[in-house]
Amino acid sequence: LEMMQLGFLQDTSHPYHITYDLIHPDDHNNFLVAEADCISGKTDRAKARFRVKVQDDKWRWIQSNAVVVERSVDGDALRIVGTQTDITETINLVNIKRDFVAIVSHEMLTPLTKIKGALSLLKFVIDDAEPAAIERLLQMGISNSDQLINIINDLLEMKQINMDTLSYVTERKCLNFIMKKASEE
């Protein structure tokens, strides 16, 4: 009741069944199938992940794991015991990690694509090009390599932040210089 943020229940003849109405419609069938398969003996355990509606119409993720511990002579389930664990934070962390990997992948692909483009152009124009054009292509490659190094350093700094081992050094930077470099890229 506490995990699902429910108050005292007046009708406690079937308190477990009250949770059925709280399960997200998209998850309801998976939960019922897992439970039915376990009760019928088709599976050893009823394992399911599902969302339940709690106070303020918020959704929490629940991991349910149950097992039949007593059966009749005919094999009918008489008693089932299980746990339901709130895994909302775990699910949120998995989603954050997925999103983080997608963002980092995109941020690293952009300069890599530019480096590859600059080197490919350089390969084709090196014999006939003016030194200024070659210098520009080389500078693009170097600049984007530096950008990749900065991304990797940022990742390492994030690791240090998580481990509480990062020391901070603040310094002033000229915004005009940063904007000019961004414009050049």
Side-chain angles (χ1 to χ4, degrees), residues 106-170:
H106 173 75
E107 290 298 318
M108 292 179 82
L109 275 175
T110 300
L112 273 175
T113 303
K114 290 178 182 179
I115 292 168
K116 183 173 177 17
L119 292 175
S120 295
L121 285 171
L122 186 60
K123 177 181 171 188
F124 287 110
V125 300
I126 200 155
D127 293 330
D128 302 326
E130 302 172 14
I134 293 173
E135 176 66 27
R136 172 133 171 80
L137 291 173
L138 286 173
Q139 191 55 46
M140 284 175 58
I142 291 168
S143 175
N144 284 285
S145 297
D146 289 342
Q147 187 177 354
L148 276 177
I149 290 169
N150 288 336
I151 291 170
I152 292 168
N153 284 335
D154 288 347
L155 290 173
L156 293 173
E157 284 181 10
M158 287 177 60
K159 180 181 176 187
Q160 289 179 325
I161 289 170
N162 289 334
M163 296 172 53
D164 288 332
T165 60
L166 182 66
S167 59
Y168 298 95
V169 176
T170 58

Side-chain angles (χ1 to χ4, degrees), residues 53-80:
K53 187 180 283 190
V54 296
Q55 290 178 348
D56 301 326
D57 289 333
K58 293 181 182 172
W59 294 98
R60 303 291 296 173
W61 278 97
I62 304 296
Q63 172 74 48
S64 179
N65 187 356
V67 62
V68 173
V69 293
E70 186 178 350
R71 292 191 180 274
S72 69
V73 176
D74 297 334
D76 294 333
L78 298 176
R79 198 166 123 230
I80 188 168

